[in-house]
Amino acid sequence: MSATATTLPPSSAAAAALTTTRPKARRLPIVRWASIIILLAALVLLAAGRWLTPYDPTAQDLTSVFASPSWQHWLGTDDLGRDIFSRMIAGGQATIAASLFAVFVALVLGLPVGIAAGYFGGWVDTALMRVVDTFLAFPAIVLAIGVTASMGIGLVNAMLAVGIVLAPAIARLARAQTLSVKEMTYVEAARSFGAKGFSGLILPHIVPNMIQPVIVQTSVIFGHAMLAEASLSFLQLGVQAPGSSWGAVLSRSYSFMSQAPMAILIPGIAIALMVFAANIMADEAQDWLDPKRRR
């Protein structure tokens, strides 16, 4: 007497295997809360960084050059006797503000270009995207250095250049989303009722439904802007002495790494934590904005 085995249909078996072998990954709460704390600390630095420094960030004390961490100088001093903790706080304010400025420039330049290319299509799309492709053809840091050199050295010009470099990524994403949204049924229904143009169709119907991925991308490019600021300041194209930013502190520490090897870790860790928090919050924003990912 033969035993009959109960079998699932191929589609059901594949679904069961997928369910059992690929459980939904969940982010650890400690990672989420650590990112929130880091970003809240960044907001405090942005709002009140200059008032939190225990010493003048530019004050020199040649009698305490390369001092080790102590109660007087929590992170030690640099080659000119300046308090590193004070310079990190003041530099954090400059770095975060400059990165936000670069993100703002990227949105102002990239978002309208992407929406216009996706909405109008045809020769408008072709012309705008060829300009975007031209910018994307250059390595980002090389293009940022070139734009900064042409406009003049300084933190504002450097981050304006970074914003120009980051704008093509926003433009391409906005174009793709606009192309998708403008074919939706509710947009066609709005057209049938006479809605057209920027105020009648684009602003009330297309922009609210294509902006979610752009918001997520904004968090990502904020981290890229911080890395770009550090790179340009490291090359002495950003903030100029005696000003302070995390990239400038990193550059100064690198110049005297043999005398104070641990000092280079301080700005590096600060930049890494901020980029980490920005990327985690980008994932959190995507989970919150996308209903499918909240299930």
Side-chain angles (χ1 to χ4, degrees), residues 119 190-205:
Y119 179 75
R191 282 199 185 100
S192 68
F193 282 100
K196 61 181 180 179
F198 178 77
S199 59
L201 186 62
I202 296 177
L203 189 61
H205 297 289

Coordinates of all heavy atoms in Angstrom, one line a residue, residues 119 190-205:
Y119 N 7.6 66.5 -17.0 CA 6.3 66.9 -17.3 C 6.1 67.3 -18.8 O 5.2 66.9 -19.5 CB 5.9 68.1 -16.5 CG 4.5 68.7 -16.8 CD1 3.4 68.0 -16.3 CD2 4.4 69.9 -17.5 CE1 2.1 68.5 -16.6 CE2 3.1 70.4 -17.8 CZ 2.0 69.7 -17.3 OH 0.7 70.2 -17.6
A190 N -7.8 65.2 -13.5 CA -7.7 66.7 -13.3 C -7.5 67.4 -14.6 O -8.1 68.5 -14.8 CB -6.4 66.9 -12.4
R191 N -6.8 66.8 -15.6 CA -6.8 67.4 -16.9 C -8.2 67.5 -17.6 O -8.5 68.5 -18.2 CB -5.8 66.6 -17.8 CG -4.4 66.8 -17.6 CD -3.5 66.3 -18.8 NE -2.1 66.4 -18.5 CZ -1.4 65.4 -18.2 NH1 -1.9 64.2 -18.0 NH2 -0.1 65.6 -18.0
S192 N -8.9 66.5 -17.4 CA -10.3 66.5 -18.0 C -11.2 67.6 -17.4 O -12.1 68.0 -18.1 CB -10.9 65.1 -17.8 OG -11.2 64.9 -16.5
F193 N -10.9 68.0 -16.2 CA -11.6 69.1 -15.6 C -11.0 70.5 -15.9 O -11.4 71.5 -15.3 CB -11.7 68.9 -14.1 CG -12.8 67.9 -13.7 CD1 -12.4 66.6 -13.4 CD2 -14.1 68.2 -13.7 CE1 -13.4 65.6 -13.0 CE2 -15.1 67.2 -13.3 CZ -14.7 66.0 -13.0
G194 N -10.0 70.5 -16.7 CA -9.4 71.8 -17.1 C -8.2 72.2 -16.4 O -7.7 73.3 -16.6
A195 N -7.7 71.4 -15.5 CA -6.4 71.7 -14.8 C -5.2 71.6 -15.7 O -5.1 70.7 -16.4 CB -6.2 70.8 -13.6
K196 N -4.4 72.6 -15.7 CA -3.2 72.7 -16.5 C -2.2 73.7 -15.9 O -2.5 74.5 -15.1 CB -3.5 73.0 -17.9 CG -4.2 74.4 -18.1 CD -4.5 74.6 -19.6 CE -5.1 76.0 -19.8 NZ -5.4 76.3 -21.2
G197 N -1.0 73.5 -16.4 CA 0.0 74.5 -16.0 C 0.6 74.2 -14.6 O 0.3 73.2 -13.9
F198 N 1.4 75.2 -14.1 CA 2.1 75.0 -12.8 C 1.1 75.0 -11.7 O 1.1 74.2 -10.8 CB 3.2 76.1 -12.7 CG 3.9 76.0 -11.4 CD1 4.9 75.1 -11.2 CD2 3.6 76.9 -10.4 CE1 5.5 75.0 -9.9 CE2 4.3 76.8 -9.2 CZ 5.2 75.9 -8.9
S199 N 0.3 76.1 -11.6 CA -0.6 76.3 -10.5 C -1.8 75.4 -10.5 O -2.4 75.1 -9.4 CB -1.1 77.7 -10.4 OG -1.7 78.1 -11.6
G200 N -2.2 74.9 -11.7 CA -3.4 74.1 -11.8 C -3.2 72.6 -11.7 O -4.0 71.9 -11.2
L201 N -2.0 72.2 -12.2 CA -1.8 70.7 -12.3 C -0.5 70.3 -11.6 O -0.5 69.3 -10.8 CB -1.8 70.3 -13.8 CG -1.7 68.8 -14.0 CD1 -2.9 68.1 -13.5 CD2 -1.5 68.5 -15.5
I202 N 0.6 71.0 -11.9 CA 1.9 70.5 -11.4 C 2.0 70.6 -9.8 O 2.3 69.7 -9.1 CB 3.1 71.3 -12.0 CG1 3.1 71.0 -13.5 CG2 4.4 70.9 -11.4 CD1 4.2 71.8 -14.3
L203 N 1.7 71.8 -9.3 CA 1.8 72.1 -7.9 C 0.8 71.3 -7.1 O 1.2 70.7 -6.1 CB 1.7 73.6 -7.6 CG 2.1 74.0 -6.2 CD1 3.5 73.6 -5.9 CD2 1.9 75.5 -6.0
P204 N -0.5 71.3 -7.4 CA -1.4 70.6 -6.5 C -1.5 69.1 -6.7 O -1.9 68.3 -5.8 CB -2.8 71.2 -6.8 CG -2.7 71.7 -8.2 CD -1.2 72.0 -8.4
H205 N -1.2 68.6 -7.9 CA -1.4 67.2 -8.2 C -0.2 66.3 -8.4 O -0.1 65.2 -8.0 CB -2.3 67.0 -9.4 CG -3.7 67.6 -9.3 ND1 -4.6 67.1 -8.4 CD2 -4.2 68.8 -9.8 CE1 -5.7 67.8 -8.5 NE2 -5.5 68.9 -9.3

